[in-house]
Structures are given as structure tokens and as C-alpha cells.
Amino acid sequence: MSATTSPSGNSSGRASVPPSGPASARPTGPGDRGHSYQGGKGPRVRPRWGRIALVAGGVAVILALVGGIFAVNYVSGIDKDLKRTNAFSGLSADRPAKTVEGAVNILLVGSDSRDPDTKDDAANAWRADTLMVMHVPADHKSAQLISIPRDLWVVVPKSNDAACSDGSRAKINASFAFGGLPRAVHTVECLTDVKIDNVMAIDFGGFKEVTDALGGVDLKVDQSITSIHKPFRVFKKGMMHMDGAQALDWVRQRKQFPRGDFARMQHQQEFLKALMDKAASSGTLTSPGKLDGFLNAVAKAVTVDQDFSLKDMVLQFRSLRGDNLTFLTSPNKGSETIAGQSVVVSDREKALALFQAVAADKMAEWMAANPVKKS
């Protein structure tokens, strides 16, 4: 698993500002554009998002890898079955045209109203538990998936078409409460200077079926813990085979670990890699019956933007393989208390360099200068 080193830290993971808009101190001016992050079409639809958004990146890759096995009409059939939402509602009209050629940037999002940590009276509240930018270079032979801590202290623009500096500071997961998915897209674009081409989200409950369709996955448990969620499963240190319910329970744990959300992000990345490895090695890709069941489970689990094309993804990612994925975490300085909230503070200089490389499609050069530890 690839990952930049993130300082230890634990945080609440919940935005404490009201849904009417950010209530934190206002930014100082246009110079804030993109800097608080450092370091690290049609009617609006309101689907239920999954907590493990980064898994959606793996789904995109897997769909692309296996799509070519079937006739184009089969791929088109899956495309038609995907749930869609207007992820770019209200954003500026000067967005880059989507093409099959060139680099691709996909925003992966997760938020789950059925989270067991949610109080009953807040069951419908929007929260972003995971954000990730997936960058596929122009040669389409590799991909870098950059996890964004959900408690990262950023400037959230006051509207979907507001200037990037015209907003207030809050945790990045608060952007959903203020303006739904489009506001999250706008916030990420402002803070990274990276234009998003597509958006993918995943339904938490649905992905249990995706995992089970593969017969479960093997995950490394780095320390023995008891889940804080019913039925209070025990996870013993070492390699464990987990079904969908067990795996999703494992990657939701954070309070038992000194590194809190950073440990959870690592476990989510490991889960994604395990899913992709299992899909490639278990005969799923070569068995029409298994593959059909797997793809149908995936189609039910994900929600994409209105312009997302599975057919294009097959063309774009046909040379991409699991070994060519690199997992990163937006550079940050760990947790601090600001305005009475436990937040993650970005490492300005390192994050700017990283996202400039993404925007310029020069991640190969960036990774050569910043070696990423692999496991």
C-alpha cells in the first residue's frame, strides 16, 4: 500500500457548524485560495453515499478492466443502470470538456446517513466521511489516489459559484451540509487548483454485497480490537478473512487507534487493494456468471455524475492494473484545536507541490522526487 506519512491525530470527524453555512472565522483574502488545504445538470438528486468513497476508485478501475471482456452493448447496459446525480450544479460554465484522451481527475466521495455513530435525530444529516482525488495521467497506465482527511481545515465557498476566497473556514466535510455534492466539488477545486472531470460515490450498504460477491477479502489487522459497533466483533492481530459485514466494520474503526482517522484511511486503502487483488485472482474476471453478479452489485452500489461514461472508462483505463495504483494522503501536520474544534492542519508547502503536479499531469516527476513507501 502506498501512503505518505501522516502525523498521528484523532478528531471528532463531525462538522460542528450549522447547515446554514460555515460559522468559522472568515479568510483573509484571495491569497487563501487553495492554501487552507495545503498539506494535505438537471434536478438535484440526493442519494445515500457510502462511507468508503475511496473504494469507488477501485470500482472504477475494476469496471474498466473487466468491461472489455463483454460486448459494448453489455457495458452500455451497465452504464444505463448506474445511479446519477448532478454533481456540478451551479458551478461555473468554464469547465473543461470531457474527452477520452488526456489526464482524468475523479473526485471520490463518501458519506453515510446510516452510519451507526449517527444519532437517530440526525440520521439524514449530510456528512463526508471520506474524500479522495483520483488522478489518471494522460498515458492511462497508472493512477494516484490522494486521500483528503475529512477534518482538514479549509475555506468553504459561500455558494457553488462564489469566488474561492469568498467563504469561511470549516472542516472540509462541512461542505456537504452547506451545499451538497456540488459545494464539495467547488471546495476541492478551489483548494487544490485541480479541475474535477467526474464524480463517483458509493453506497455503504451496497458495498457489502460487492465484497460478498467476491467471497470476502483477506485484511491485515495491525492490532487486536473489539468493534465499538454492534455486534461488537473482535478483530485479532494478524491476517483475517472477512466477509462484507466484517470488512466494512473493520474499516470504520478509528477510536481504538492512536492515529484515529489516519489509521482508518490506511485501512480503507488496504481494503481497496484487497478487493482489487481478489477480483483479479479469484476467477471473477474469467467467469461470466461471477463477473455478471459482481458487476451488478457494483452498479447498484455506486452513484456517478450525469456525464460519467463506463464505455469511456474502459477505453481510458484499459492499460491500468492494480500494481500501478499509488495511494497517498494529502500532506498535513496532524491535528490541532482551532475555534474549539479538533481539526487537521495541512502542510501548505508540500500540499501545494503535490496538487500542482496533479494539475500539470506531472505526478511521475513528483513521485520520483518524493518516493512513496510501498507495502
Side-chain angles (χ1 to χ4, degrees):
M1 192 65 46
S2 306
T4 52
T5 301
S6 298
S8 297
N10 197 356
S11 52
S12 66
R14 299 288 181 264
S16 61
V17 283
S20 58
S24 308
R26 293 184 63 80
T28 57
D32 269 5
R33 186 178 190 273
H35 292 175
S36 66
Y37 185 74
Q38 314 122 13
K41 304 166 180 178
R44 175 178 167 188
V45 181
R46 215 177 150 179
R48 295 177 294 180
W49 310 106
R51 177 184 286 249
I52 322 170
L54 69 85
V55 174
V59 171
V61 176
I62 292 172
L63 284 173
L65 292 177
V66 303
I69 298 174
F70 288 89
V72 173
N73 61 345
Y74 182 82
V75 176
S76 298
I78 298 175
D79 222 343
K80 293 177 181 178
D81 289 340
L82 293 175
K83 297 185 293 292
R84 297 180 181 272
T85 186
N86 189 357
F88 303 101
S89 176
L91 274 63
S92 62
D94 61 344
R95 306 195 61 77
K98 295 180 176 64
T99 63
V100 175
E101 303 299 326
V104 180
N105 297 305
I106 304 173
L107 181 65
L108 311 174
V109 183
S111 180
D112 185 12
S113 63
R114 293 170 294 166
D115 184 335
D117 292 331
T118 303
K119 293 185 174 65
D120 291 341
D121 59 358
N124 295 319
W126 277 71
R127 294 180 321 283
D129 292 310
T130 307
L131 287 173
M132 173 174 283
V133 174
M134 178 179 179
H135 174 70
V136 182
D139 64 8
H140 300 159
K141 294 181 179 180
S142 66
Q144 296 80 47
L145 295 92
I146 307 169
S147 295
I148 303 174
R150 64 180 185 175
D151 291 342
L152 196 68
W153 194 237
V154 302
V155 176
V156 179
K158 70 178 185 180
S159 67
N160 295 348
D161 59 355
C164 291
S165 59
D166 189 7
S168 297
R169 292 191 182 273
K171 296 177 183 181
I172 196 166
N173 67 340
S175 59
F176 286 84
F178 308 147
L181 188 55
R183 189 72 56 86
V185 172
H186 189 30
T187 301
V188 170
E189 289 187 333
C190 283
L191 301 173
T192 64
D193 277 333
V194 173
K195 283 293 184 181
I196 300 300
D197 298 299
N198 291 107
V199 177
M200 179 179 284
I202 186 166
D203 178 80
F204 180 68
F207 217 77
K208 173 183 175 297
E209 281 68 38
V210 175
T211 306
D212 288 336
L214 291 175
V217 293
D218 294 325
L219 294 173
K220 182 180 179 181
V221 176
D222 39 18
Q223 76 177 60
S224 296
I225 64 166
T226 297
S227 172
I228 62 174
H229 309 128
K230 293 179 180 180
F232 308 113
R233 297 178 178 88
V234 175
F235 297 96
K236 295 184 178 181
K237 185 175 180 179
M239 193 65 69
M240 285 186 63
H241 181 78
M242 303 185 193
D243 61 20
Q246 291 171 316
L248 295 178
D249 193 10
W250 166 249
V251 299
R252 287 159 62 191
Q253 307 303 313
R254 64 184 175 90
K255 295 182 179 179
Q256 304 94 319
F257 302 100
R259 295 173 60 237
D261 272 343
F262 295 115
R264 179 163 63 177
M265 280 191 292
Q266 176 187 332
H267 297 156
Q268 290 172 343
Q269 292 174 343
E270 292 168 351
F271 180 37
L272 168 56
K273 183 65 164 58
L275 281 169
M276 297 186 66
D277 288 344
K278 185 64 177 291
S281 64
S282 64
T284 299
L285 306 187
T286 57
S287 169
K290 289 182 179 180
L291 185 56
D292 186 59
F294 174 69
L295 291 179
N296 281 324
V298 168
K300 293 177 182 178
V302 300
T303 300
V304 298
D305 64 271
Q306 293 179 335
D307 294 327
F308 176 92
S309 170
L310 177 57
K311 182 178 178 180
D312 285 351
M313 294 287 269
V314 170
L315 294 174
Q316 291 167 340
F317 295 163
R318 63 187 180 275
S319 299
L320 185 60
R321 296 296 181 267
D323 290 343
N324 297 328
L325 297 182
T326 300
F327 295 89
L328 305 162
T329 298
S330 180
N332 62 83
K333 298 179 179 179
S335 300
E336 294 184 13
T337 299
I338 300 178
Q341 303 180 62
S342 178
V343 304
V344 175
V345 178
S346 63
D347 185 321
R348 174 176 180 172
E349 184 176 351
K350 292 181 179 179
L352 286 178
L354 169 59
F355 288 112
Q356 285 172 357
V358 172
D361 193 21
K362 294 184 177 181
M363 281 300 292
E365 294 87 336
W366 184 91
M367 289 189 292
N370 301 271
V372 178
K373 182 179 179 181
K374 301 230 178 190
S375 61

